Amino acid sequence: NQIFSVESLRSTEDVLELDKKIPKTLVLIDEGQNLFLAKRGGFNAFHLLSSIFNLRTNNIMWCMAFNRYSWAYLNAVTGGSQFFRKTYSVEQWSDLDIQNLILSRHEQSGYTLEFDPILYAINQRSQSEDLRYIQDRFFEMLWEQARGNPRTAFVLWLSSLTQVGEKNIRVGLPESSPSRPLDGLTDEELFVIAAVVRHENLTVLEAADVCNLSERVVRHAVRVGLERGFLSRSGDLGRYRVQPM
């Protein structure tokens, strides 16, 4: 109802009637993975919405985005792709795209960038040589470490920054992720992590429901994930997700 600014849509017939009255409208739904929980009865919202966007409408069109792992699971369990006429995979970004994204955001800060001498050593260039060359090589390295994922690249970019003056920021080497962060975890802890990956984000109670584990066990698993740095908590919402790095 809020999407279409109408008082009530109570049936598929109401949607079909609305379709006749409105201009061409594309409805974009992000984070489609929040429409399901991997448990018995946990797919009702997804099936309800899919029944709506599979109506033969002429003016209302739908586009939904899913996390890669959520989509793989949903497609395997429910045959999710049968509900969509077209499916597309988002390709990794180029190093130039990621560089433009980060620098366009940085320009809003008003800070001046300078590059750590270690970057000149890695690239076998002197500090007197072209700054643009070093900048380009840095973003190629960032792109490779992030595997073309803009969210990961942005987190790595922030990890490489140090304020060195009132309006100066020094760019160094990005942080590296732990090489073996999952070693020694129990089966229960691994099940919780897998559930978070499958859904992209979960609360403790949702993870307990999905994994059929007690809240106490899940809270311990989440605490271990936070301590080891491969889980993060989303603000005050109490939702946990895997760290981009």
Side-chain angles (χ1 to χ4, degrees):
N1 297 339
Q2 293 178 349
I3 291 176
F4 299 108
S5 300
V6 296
E7 292 184 2
S8 178
L9 289 174
R10 301 190 180 190
S11 65
T12 54
E13 287 75 15
D14 289 343
V15 177
L16 291 173
E17 284 300 315
L18 176 66
D19 178 66
K20 299 175 182 178
K21 302 174 183 177
I22 65 174
K24 298 289 185 184
T25 303
L26 175 61
V27 181
L28 302 175
I29 301 177
D30 197 10
E31 298 189 347
Q33 61 271 5
N34 291 333
L35 288 169
F36 76 92
L37 282 176
K39 65 169 189 172
R40 185 181 298 275
F43 300 89
N44 293 339
F46 172 74
H47 286 305
L48 176 61
L49 185 59
S50 65
S51 68
I52 294 174
F53 60 60
N54 274 282
L55 295 172
R56 292 185 176 275
T57 54
N58 295 315
N59 294 317
I60 302 175
M61 293 156 282
W62 304 82
C63 179
M64 186 178 297
F66 289 89
N67 169 283
R68 176 193 298 179
Y69 302 107
S70 301
W71 172 251
Y73 175 81
L74 189 65
N75 195 32
V77 173
T78 69
S81 59
Q82 68 178 315
F83 301 112
F84 299 87
R85 296 179 184 178
K86 297 286 185 180
T87 57
Y88 302 93
S89 297
V90 178
E91 302 296 330
Q92 66 179 15
W93 287 31
S94 70
D95 57 328
L96 182 59
D97 289 335
I98 287 177
Q99 180 174 343
N100 290 337
L101 169 70
I102 290 176
L103 291 182
S104 64
R105 289 189 176 189
H106 170 73
E107 288 176 1
Q108 307 301 316
S109 71
Y111 282 77
T112 301
L113 291 179
E114 62 179 61
F115 287 85
D116 193 288
I118 193 172
L119 295 174
Y120 292 89
I122 291 174
N123 289 279
Q124 299 180 341
R125 308 281 285 206
S126 70
Q127 293 192 40
S128 62
E129 292 183 85
D130 188 11
L131 176 64
R132 181 60 182 269
Y133 176 87
I134 296 299
Q135 178 176 284
D136 290 345
R137 298 293 77 75
F138 170 84
F139 279 104
E140 287 179 4
M141 177 180 65
L142 191 72
W143 170 83
E144 184 175 355
Q145 191 169 343
R147 301 180 184 178
N149 185 314
R151 181 168 176 241
T152 303
F154 195 72
V155 172
L156 290 169
W157 162 256
L158 292 177
S159 75
S160 71
L161 304 181
T162 304
Q163 186 170 349
V164 294
E166 185 176 347
K167 296 297 286 185
N168 289 349
I169 290 180
R170 177 171 294 167
V171 183
L173 292 175
E175 290 183 5
S176 58
S177 58
S179 58
R180 304 170 73 184
L182 303 183
D183 284 3
L185 295 185
T186 66
D187 288 345
E188 288 81 4
E189 291 162 352
L190 291 171
F191 274 121
V192 171
I193 296 167
V196 173
V197 172
R198 188 180 305 124
H199 295 83
E200 188 179 90
N201 63 90
L202 287 175
T203 65
V204 167
L205 294 180
E206 288 171 344
D209 203 9
V210 167
C211 298
N212 196 25
L213 295 171
S214 70
E215 182 181 343
R216 178 185 59 81
V217 170
V218 172
R219 288 195 181 280
H220 173 75
V222 167
R223 184 169 66 251
V224 171
L226 294 173
E227 291 172 351
R228 294 202 182 192
F230 55 78
L231 288 183
S232 63
R233 190 174 189 268
S234 299
D236 298 327
L237 300 178
R239 309 195 72 81
Y240 297 89
R241 64 180 69 227
V242 174
Q243 282 275 29
M245 292 177 62

